[in-house]
Amino acid sequence: MLLSSLHLSARPEAALAPRSAYTPELARLHDEGLKRLRAHVIGQVGNDGAIRDRCASRVLESALMLHLLRAEDAFPGTQRGVTTYLETRRKELSSLQKGFGGAAVALERELADAVLSGGTPDEDAGVEVFDTFEHFTSERKRFMFHTLLTELGVVDSKVRFDLAAVRYDLYATWVNLEMCALKILRAEQQGEPGAATAEDRGWLMDQLATGSDRSIFEADVFAHAVALLAARKVSPGDPLVAEGIEALLRSQNPDGGFPFIAGWEPFGTAVAGLGLLTAGTTSEVTLPMAEFLVKHQNPDGGWGFAPGVRQSDADCSPYCLEMLRGADPVRFAPEIAKGERYLLDLVNPDGGFGTYRRGDTSEVGVTGSSVSALAPHRDACAPVLDEAVRYLLSCQRPDGTFERSWSLSEANAMFRVLFALRHYASGAPEELRAPVAEAASEARRYLTSTQNVDGGWGQRKGDDSDVLSTACSLLALVCCEDVPPTVLRDGVAWLLSRQQSDGGFSSVPDSAGPRPLPHDLPVLADGYALLALGHVLSA
């Protein structure tokens, strides 16, 4: 029996369109589509309980790897494979114009053009997206991409950065590695080689040698490739460079390109597992999935996005925590308690949760998921939940949306917040009940007004419909009152129309990293579609 307070595996009651609002044909298609999708997802569960899938290739990492291999004059066969991928992707990009669209697509085209043709760098091309990106990470990203795009020959950036102010002890493990490497690269670009100290160079090489339990540093292809570009300048011919390249080669995809990350099994397994629980899947399937998560819980009680990643995070951990609770709250009680303590240690003075550690800037999506994951123990952490909900309410924009955080889809953060508010509402202090209800109403008004004519939703208002945005929009709406019957009906109909012959789904790249650049985690389309169809069917 699932706990009624669960974030994603529970089925919150809401005043939705009853099944009678469906046509008989749509009701049949919904039932059948859910069964086919559930079977498809079960078929992806390995013997160890994990769901595995490859992160799709991306121009950025592929360009970095081709540049690195050329610089080292290594692996000509691999270089040919990467070149083929970039040429193919460049042709595809020529027809893409929409979505986050414009800027990210233009950057990819310029990257592919520069690396393939070796054209003359432009002082401004390619960096506009980062110069105008508004986010608490924007200054760091501006430094990162002015440096990388100069290294790759895309731009000839003349911007001067204060390298003495560059820190690499404030962030997630892989970001610290990136920042140290970028400092070394930028010092050379700015004609200030002494700005990268012996301490900086030594720290970089030490991290490559000892800073990760995986051969690819924290499973992050991007971070490792950036670090190797700096390491080959610090210590030419060092075995760490050759070993790092060989490790990265093992992540190459069949299309010849390279992905952003080389594994994300806990995150994918938790999302898909919660979808299976929502769809009523038996413990014979879901218990091994939960046991896989237990095996890869970090000593601090949290989870990294991939096995062996030392850095836990509050994006993945709430999903894993709720999967354990949904699978068997008694059997996994010790691990659940550790996971709850990990989340509680991340609470900031403003009431929100940072992604990696206390003191990180609070983020809406991870705060919403953390509130839901902690809601079953409301009696023990009521003050924390109250302040977190106040933080969430303060972050809602006038149009009903929230900052998009780790997803490019507005609906992702919205559904995470709305699930949190829905489960919180019954025990909310009197002074928060009306604001919580109004926040849900504002979100509902936005989602119902931005539904596309075809019934689906895009990442933002006006974008073409896609599977992940539609699934997240439906998940948000199951938490709202007074949803017009046609909204749910048309949304489900559009989603089912995108189901593939094998029962699964595919979608546009939705996850962001390094933010705001999209990368594709294909199996998440299955996981979120399963969650959405299960929740709407049971509502």
Side-chain angles (χ1 to χ4, degrees), residues 25-334:
E25 177 65 7
L26 182 57
R28 182 185 66 80
L29 290 173
H30 194 162
D31 287 331
E32 291 183 357
L34 183 61
K35 290 176 183 176
R36 291 175 59 223
L37 177 56
R38 181 173 59 190
H40 174 75
V41 172
I42 290 172
Q44 297 179 71
V45 180
N47 291 334
D48 62 351
I51 284 187
R52 291 180 172 83
D53 196 5
R54 283 181 174 267
C55 180
S57 298
R58 190 166 66 170
V59 168
L60 176 58
E61 287 73 23
S62 302
L64 285 170
M65 283 300 299
L66 184 56
H67 179 73
L68 177 61
L69 293 173
R70 286 172 172 173
E72 290 291 301
D73 193 21
F75 299 99
T78 301
Q79 291 186 43
R80 288 192 292 272
V82 182
T83 299
T84 298
Y85 164 75
L86 290 172
E87 289 172 340
T88 302
R89 183 61 179 153
R90 181 167 58 174
K91 292 177 183 177
E92 295 172 348
L93 291 167
S94 65
S95 63
L96 297 178
Q97 299 295 335
K98 298 191 71 175
F100 175 79
V105 167
L107 174 63
E108 283 199 286
R109 277 200 297 262
E110 289 163 2
L111 264 173
D113 286 342
V115 175
L116 290 172
S117 65
T120 303
D122 187 297
E123 186 169 341
D124 299 313
V127 295
E128 297 93 336
V129 59
F130 304 103
D131 286 340
T132 59
F133 176 46
E134 295 183 3
H135 193 261
F136 69 85
T137 64
S138 59
E139 281 302 309
R140 191 171 81 231
K141 298 300 171 56
R142 185 168 177 265
F143 169 64
M144 174 184 290
F145 282 96
H146 272 266
T147 302
L148 282 184
L149 296 182
T150 298
E151 171 71 20
L152 292 173
V154 180
V155 304
D156 183 17
S157 171
K158 303 301 184 184
V159 177
R160 297 194 71 81
F161 293 93
D162 180 6
L163 299 181
V166 174
R167 299 279 298 275
Y168 46 88
D169 60 345
L170 300 174
Y171 313 110
T173 50
W174 53 86
V175 179
N176 287 332
L177 183 74
E178 293 163 6
M179 294 302 288
C180 184
L182 293 166
K183 181 179 181 180
I184 293 167
L185 292 171
R186 194 64 185 180
E188 181 180 279
Q189 293 170 8
Q190 293 186 180
E192 303 176 58
T197 66
E199 181 181 357
D200 298 329
R201 296 191 292 270
W203 188 89
L204 177 78
M205 303 308 290
D206 182 65
Q207 284 298 296
L208 285 173
T210 65
S212 176
D213 294 330
R214 293 181 59 117
S215 58
I216 294 177
F217 191 93
E218 294 283 68
D220 193 315
V221 173
F222 173 77
H224 204 149
V226 171
L228 292 179
L229 287 172
R232 63 179 300 274
K233 297 177 185 293
V234 169
S235 182
D238 195 295
L240 284 173
V241 176
E243 292 167 6
I245 289 174
E246 291 181 6
L248 288 172
L249 294 183
R250 293 193 286 273
S251 72
Q252 187 177 25
N253 283 326
D255 62 8
F258 283 82
F260 170 43
I261 52 177
W264 41 283
E265 291 83 356
F267 187 68
T269 299
V271 172
L274 286 166
L276 290 173
L277 288 171
T278 303
T281 306
T282 64
S283 60
E284 182 181 1
V285 174
T286 56
L287 274 178
M289 299 175 79
E291 288 167 349
F292 171 81
L293 297 179
V294 166
K295 181 179 178 181
H296 294 288
Q297 188 174 25
N298 283 337
D300 63 7
W303 282 264
F305 63 85
V309 170
R310 296 179 183 180
Q311 178 70 68
S312 300
D313 67 78
D315 192 38
C316 178
S317 295
Y319 285 98
C320 295
L321 176 57
E322 294 204 70
M323 178 59 191
L324 298 188
R325 190 180 285 119
D328 192 329
V330 175
R331 179 173 181 169
F332 301 118

Side-chain angles (χ1 to χ4, degrees), residues 418-503:
L418 290 171
F419 264 89
L421 297 183
R422 185 78 189 179
H423 293 309
Y424 171 84
S426 61
E430 184 65 35
E431 72 272 15
L432 286 179
R433 291 181 183 177
V436 164
E438 180 58 26
S441 295
E442 289 294 333
R444 172 183 53 78
R445 281 191 282 270
Y446 180 82
L447 290 169
T448 55
S449 69
T450 57
Q451 187 175 28
N452 289 329
V453 174
D454 61 13
W457 284 265
Q459 291 179 341
R460 292 186 295 179
K461 181 179 180 180
D463 288 350
D464 292 341
S465 298
D466 68 82
V467 166
L468 280 165
S469 298
T470 299
C472 290
S473 296
L474 292 170
L475 284 167
L477 287 167
V478 300
C479 298
C480 299
E481 305 289 342
D482 303 320
V483 179
T486 55
V487 171
L488 272 296
R489 183 178 63 209
D490 294 348
V492 168
W494 184 87
L495 189 60
L496 290 170
S497 76
R498 312 307 296 176
Q499 192 166 23
Q500 298 168 343
S501 58
D502 63 0

